[in-house]
C-alpha cells in the first residue's frame, strides 16, 4: 500500500531527484541525518512518514526546516505552542518549511522553494515535538 502511494507521488523521472522521503518511528528517530537538495530543483518535496504505531500526542513527529542558527530557538518556542499548532509558534517567521505533526501510520509532505535557500547557509531539519530535537535532527545542504 505504501509503495503504491509513493510511486504515485514520485511522478516523472525528472522530478524524482527533487524530492526525498524520510521515515520516522516510535523510537524517536529519523532514518536520515542529512538531505542534499540539488540546486537545479525549483521546488524540493519532503515526504515524512511515521512507520510507528503511537499517536501524535505521545510520539508525534514533524519535519521542520530552519537555518542551523535558528533551530534550537524555534524548537524551544514551539514547545509552548501546543499540539494543535504542531508544536510551532503560529507566526514563526524563522521556519522555512514544515510538515504537519503526525502519528504512527501517517504521512505528511511539504514543498520547499529552492530559490529561497542559499548555498552558503547551513540548514537544519528537526522534529519540534517537545524534546525530540535531541534525537531527531539533521542537516540540509544545497548542492
Ligand atoms: Zn518527533
Amino acid at each position: 500500500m505504501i509503495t503504491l502511494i509513493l510511486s504515485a507521488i514520485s511522478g516523472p523521472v525528472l522530478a524524482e531527484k527533487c524530492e526525498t522521503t524520510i521515515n520516522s518511528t516510535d523510537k524517536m528517530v529519523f532514518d536520515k541525518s542529512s538531505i542534499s537538495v540539488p540546486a537545479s530543483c525549483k521546488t524540493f518535496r519532503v515526504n515524512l512518514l511515521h512507520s510507528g504505531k503511537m499517536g501524535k500526542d505521545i510520539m508525534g513527529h514533524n519535519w521542520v526546516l530552519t537555518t542551523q542558527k535558528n533551530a534550537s530557538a524555534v524548537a524551544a518556542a514551539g514547545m509552548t505552542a501546543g499540539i494543535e499548532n504542531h508544536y510551532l509558534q503560529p507566526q514563526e517567521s524563522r521556519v522555512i518549511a514544515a510538515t504537519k505533526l503526525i502519528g504512527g501510520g501517517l504521512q505528511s509532505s511539504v514543498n520547499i522553494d529552492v530559490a529561497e535557500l542559499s548555498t552558503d547557509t547551513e540548514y537544519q531539519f528537526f522534529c519540534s515535538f517537545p524534546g525530540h530535537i535531541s534525537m531527531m535532527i539533521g542537516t540540509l545542504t544545497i548542492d
Side-chain angles (χ1 to χ4, degrees), residues 22 30 32-35 63-64 124-126 136-139:
I22 182 163
F30 287 133
K32 287 184 171 68
S33 58
S34 65
I35 293 175
W63 186 94
V64 181
Q124 202 115 59
F125 65 83
F126 59 92
M136 304 183 76
I137 190 163
T139 57

Side-chain angles (χ1 to χ4, degrees), residues 25-103:
T25 71
D26 286 343
K27 294 199 168 109
M28 206 172 107
V29 287
F30 287 133
D31 69 349
K32 287 184 171 68
S33 58
S34 65
I35 293 175
S36 167
V37 176
S40 58
C41 293
K42 198 162 185 278
T43 58
F44 187 82
R45 185 177 180 85
V46 175
N47 305 303
L48 172 69
L49 307 182
H50 187 327
S51 64
K53 290 188 166 60
M54 295 183 188
K56 71 173 180 183
D57 53 332
I58 301 165
M59 187 51 71
H61 300 313
N62 58 2
W63 186 94
V64 181
L65 182 69
T66 66
T67 61
Q68 192 167 50
K69 197 163 63 89
N70 288 336
S72 55
V74 168
M79 273 193 192
T80 59
I83 194 166
E84 66 276 15
N85 290 312
H86 311 276
Y87 290 112
L88 289 174
Q89 292 296 330
Q91 305 300 324
E92 182 58 84
S93 60
R94 293 171 293 186
V95 170
I96 298 164
T99 68
K100 292 190 283 191
L101 187 79
I102 57 171

